[in-house]
Amino acid sequence: MTPLVEAVDITKHYDARHGGMFRAPAPPLRAVDGVSLSIMEGETLGLVGESGCGKSTLGRLLIRLLPVTGGTIRFAGTDISGLEGKALRAVRRSMQIVFQDPYGALNPRMTVEDIVMEPLVIHGAARDAAARVAEMLSLVGLPARARDRFPHEFSGGQRQRIGIARALVLRPKFVVCDEPVSALDVSVQAQIVNLLRDLQGELGLTYLFIAHDLGVVKHISDRVAVMYLGKVVEIAGKASLYQAPRHPYTRGLIASVPVTHPAQRRRGAGERHRLEGDIPSALNLPSGCRFHTRCPFVIDLCRQQEPVMTGGADGHLVACHRAQAIG
Amino acid sequence: MAAEDDFLEVRQPPWRAATRRLLHHRLFLLGLILFGMVAIVAILAPWIAPQDPNKLAMRFKFRPPDRDFLFGTDNFGRSLWSRVIWGARLSMLIGSSVVLINAVCGTAIGAAAGYFRQIDNVLMRVNDALMAFPAVLLAIAVTAVLGPSVNDVIIALGIVYTPRTARIVRSSVIVLREMDYVQAAVAAGAGHWRILRRHILPNALAPLIVQLSFLFAYAVLTEATLSFLGVGAVPPTPTWGNIMAEGRQYMIDAPWIIAIPGLALMMTVLGLNLLGDGLRDVLDPRLRVQS
């Protein structure tokens, strides 16, 4: 398999509030701080991490919704990180996004047809646009009469279907799903996840599926990347990651998934890995390994030297000095 | 999941519910009636004014309101009813022109500042400087430069109030440009112009309409102040402000001269403020109760 999307050491820094002309400029906020990963054609890469770890920012960087501060993004082999104007618009056809909030994602003053048709109009495909919109609506499971309705007439799950229709109407290759089910009722979540999976098979899509819920990610992903404070700390195939997590943070995340029966809680080493404390500020990152402030296995080396991603031939990569020792 | 697949059978564009709520808002309706009366009188002035507003008739001077002269006469025997009607025409003309200037310039400046953040600082500091002046003083300064005529008063008031409108539009635009549907349009490859026109401005309209209805009231009030002070439209052109200025000298013996344009002014401003309050209750999403 060839990588469809490749990120090489990409960073996104935001200038923190400069305190006006009388204060020294503050260090930047490092939302994404040197991430390298590749997403294979046709696969779903899950991306998990706590709120504020930069996973949404990473997703938006990959599809050029935000400009990168540094690093390179390659899409189907070409460097897209510096594209502008017409060339950028041309690659946007192939990369789309589905948002978390089904209410904020749809313009309240446009009808469903206008919303779904807009990408076609922008890319000059207005000729059979109405037919393509109708086809798309039926693909996402909305009745044809939804066409001339306004977003406020729909439920959350239905709005998410409209958002998916808009993202897929241009037949993109790569779709960033930015927590597409986090805002939905549990019963509706399963419908939307299954819809996304069906559409992936039908249209040959590649997904970056962002979530803070390991359960949902496990269901849909082929591989999973775990992000902590702007950096990917572990990336592996789904089975490998869930059964043999190597990074203490990943272990903590898995241990904090609620269990369905109290008796299950005692089993395994879950209790040892429960995460404590809060995520440090991205304005003032800890020295060395950025997870050392919360890590139960911390040694001096962790405070001094930042670990690099290492791993075996199985594609299970981890950035932790102690991975071998605690394995 | 049958319930998931059925949506509400209410087929209506978003504005229809707002119109219905407005028509049930009592104070809005009162405002509409007050302002509507002034507006109708202003439009029909040439046909309903019984006398020429500038025709002098010294033998009729200081007539209190009676059957011949509905609102009495002034110190030159001119019909106050005719003069107030023509004054209303001028007030409406100036109010609506200022609102139009504001709607265009304020939206353009506010949208530019809110959307293109690189020029935000420059535009908003100029804005702040203009807003730091008291409205009446700035208007006097502008008319002093341009000269006192109706057109110049309109330009002066346009300059005075545009920064306020720009500020309101800017703050809406800053919020709206971060909305996911705007991001979706960017992801779809939409240009700045399409994003502003299709996604941002239509959604910034509600607070703008509210602001413009209050602005109409301020413009009418400030115009009256200017012509009361003698820097507005030049006499004998009747304006509520200069009728009141002339009537001020005869306040004891002929109180109707100053009272009647004053009441007209109050009616207009009250009507517009009620209209604005009603619009805000209905249109401002922060006050809207989710149904």
Side-chain angles (χ1 to χ4, degrees):
Chain A
M1 273 199 292
T2 49
L4 179 67
V5 182
E6 275 179 286
V8 184
D9 198 27
I10 58 171
T11 53
K12 178 67 186 175
H13 293 179
Y14 289 101
D15 285 332
R17 296 175 57 86
H18 343 232
M21 63 175 97
F22 299 114
R23 257 195 278 165
L29 184 146
R30 300 201 243 177
V32 171
D33 198 21
V35 168
S36 300
L37 51 78
S38 36
I39 306 173
M40 302 299 154
E41 187 141 16
E43 80 164 342
T44 299
L45 177 67
L47 181 61
V48 294
E50 286 164 286
S51 320
C53 72
K55 53 191 193 298
S56 280
T57 308
L58 176 59
R60 281 162 204 235
L61 288 174
L62 291 180
I63 60 165
R64 285 295 313 270
L65 259 190
L66 291 171
V68 287
T69 308
T72 309
I73 300 162
R74 276 196 286 274
F75 183 80
T78 37
D79 182 353
I80 61 162
S81 30
L83 292 185
E84 290 293 340
K86 265 213 181 89
L88 179 59
R89 187 174 308 167
V91 298
R92 288 202 189 285
R93 271 195 99 120
S94 317
M95 315 184 294
Q96 287 295 314
I97 179 165
V98 175
F99 294 96
Q100 170 178 12
D101 171 18
Y103 291 85
L106 306 175
N107 185 339
R109 297 191 184 263
M110 285 166 76
T111 62
V112 170
E113 181 166 43
D114 288 340
I115 289 170
V116 178
M117 199 184 282
E118 183 167 43
L120 292 172
V121 175
I122 290 168
H123 289 276
R127 196 163 37 84
D128 54 348
R132 289 175 69 176
V133 169
E135 183 197 352
M136 203 62 238
L137 289 180
S138 85
L139 265 179
V140 300
L142 285 168
R145 65 202 163 91
R147 248 181 27 204
D148 48 359
R149 307 299 177 103
F150 287 88
H152 72 273
E153 299 175 53
F154 295 88
S155 66
Q158 289 168 327
R159 284 160 176 254
Q160 206 56 298
R161 288 172 195 266
I162 300 169
I164 293 169
R166 171 181 58 196
L168 300 187
V169 73
L170 286 171
R171 296 295 150 88
K173 291 201 178 85
F174 176 52
V175 179
V176 171
C177 303
D178 190 358
E179 307 205 29
V181 298
S182 310
L184 303 177
D185 290 344
V186 177
S187 57
V188 183
Q189 284 189 359
Q191 293 179 11
I192 297 295
V193 169
N194 289 334
L195 173 67
L196 285 168
R197 250 163 70 141
D198 295 347
L199 289 168
Q200 180 171 35
E202 235 164 295
L203 305 175
L205 302 168
T206 303
Y207 285 151
L208 176 71
F209 194 96
I210 302 171
H212 55 248
D213 176 344
L214 281 164
V216 172
V217 169
K218 189 176 184 179
H219 187 66
I220 195 168
S221 305
D222 301 306
R223 290 190 303 142
V224 177
V226 178
M227 226 176 142
Y228 186 75
L229 262 184
K231 209 147 192 154
V232 171
V233 294
E234 183 165 12
I235 183 165
K238 171 166 69 174
S240 181
L241 188 104
Y242 281 83
Q243 277 149 33
R246 294 186 192 160
H247 198 284
Y249 179 62
T250 313
R251 292 167 186 232
L253 283 182
I254 291 173
S256 57
V257 172
V259 291
T260 44
H261 195 279
Q264 285 178 290
R265 200 176 294 162
R266 307 273 177 267
R267 268 191 264 147
E271 208 58 41
R272 251 174 94 206
H273 300 294
R274 193 65 55 80
L275 286 172
E276 311 248 317
D278 286 323
I279 191 163
S281 162
L283 276 171
N284 185 15
L285 293 170
S287 63
C289 172
R290 55 195 69 204
F291 186 59
H292 84 248
T293 55
R294 299 168 73 188
C295 183
F297 308 102
V298 61
I299 54 171
D300 277 347
L301 178 65
C302 304
R303 297 194 182 90
Q304 287 150 14
Q305 195 185 323
E306 185 159 19
V308 292
M309 288 286 259
T310 50
D314 59 347
H316 192 144
L317 300 174
V318 64
C320 178
H321 294 305
R322 305 272 290 147
Q324 298 292 334
I326 60 176
Chain B
M1 280 290 106
E4 219 333 80
D5 294 329
D6 268 356
F7 41 78
L8 299 163
E9 283 301 326
V10 287
R11 290 193 55 179
Q12 51 175 223
W15 48 264
R16 189 158 306 159
T19 317
R20 209 183 48 240
R21 276 202 302 274
L22 267 182
L23 292 178
H24 286 95
H25 194 290
R26 290 209 184 127
L27 285 176
F28 174 84
L29 290 178
L30 178 62
L32 194 65
I33 291 166
L34 286 176
F35 178 70
M37 277 161 52
V38 179
I40 288 167
V41 162
I43 291 164
L44 299 179
W47 298 280
I48 60 172
Q51 289 92 9
D52 180 342
N54 292 328
K55 192 178 144 216
L56 306 184
M58 295 309 284
R59 65 203 154 102
F60 294 134
K61 72 174 179 184
F62 295 127
R63 286 268 293 258
D66 60 18
R67 214 179 303 141
D68 298 333
F69 297 98
L70 192 59
F71 287 170
T73 61
D74 66 5
N75 49 321
F76 295 118
R78 295 174 296 193
S79 161
L80 213 55
W81 171 230
S82 295
R83 288 182 70 72
V84 168
I85 289 176
W86 280 93
R89 198 175 166 85
L90 193 84
S91 287
M92 292 295 117
L93 172 74
I94 287 177
S96 49
S97 308
V98 171
V99 162
L100 194 70
I101 289 176
N102 264 273
V104 175
C105 302
T107 304
I109 295 170
Y115 189 77
F116 302 105
R117 303 310 302 278
Q118 312 92 295
I119 53 171
D120 183 34
N121 228 334
V122 176
L123 284 176
M124 282 303 114
R125 293 302 78 78
V126 175
N127 229 26
D128 288 346
L130 281 172
M131 279 176 77
F133 282 101
V136 173
L137 277 187
L138 183 56
I140 289 174
V142 177
T143 46
V145 173
L146 297 172
S149 78
V150 175
N151 284 341
D152 299 332
V153 170
I154 291 171
I155 293 170
L157 293 179
I159 292 173
V160 170
Y161 287 115
T162 293
R164 284 150 221 254
T165 311
R167 194 153 269 273
I168 302 260
V169 173
R170 171 181 172 269
S171 65
S172 308
V173 170
I174 287 175
V175 173
L176 291 170
R177 70 197 290 273
E178 301 302 329
M179 295 297 291
D180 282 345
Y181 59 80
V182 173
Q183 294 298 306
V186 174
H192 296 312
W193 177 241
R194 167 178 280 271
I195 288 169
L196 274 169
R197 194 172 48 87
R198 299 265 295 175
H199 297 283
I200 291 184
L201 291 180
N203 288 294
L205 211 57
L208 178 65
I209 290 172
V210 174
Q211 162 73 5
L212 289 179
S213 66
F214 289 122
L215 185 94
F216 200 122
Y218 294 143
V220 167
L221 209 52
T222 311
E223 182 277 322
T225 310
L226 289 177
S227 50
F228 184 83
L229 295 172
V231 288
V234 226
T237 310
T239 73
W240 291 344
N242 66 30
I243 298 170
M244 286 161 81
E246 284 169 23
R248 194 176 57 91
Q249 305 161 55
Y250 315 106
M251 207 152 68
I252 306 297
D253 304 315
W256 57 88
I257 303 178
I258 191 166
I260 283 164
L263 285 171
L265 184 61
M266 199 191 84
M267 190 169 129
T268 311
V269 172
L270 180 65
L272 281 164
N273 282 338
L274 292 176
L275 274 182
D277 278 341
L279 284 169
R280 188 171 54 196
D281 287 350
V282 171
L283 295 178
D284 194 325
R286 277 160 297 189
L287 297 172
R288 190 188 299 165
V289 184
Q290 279 290 308
S291 50

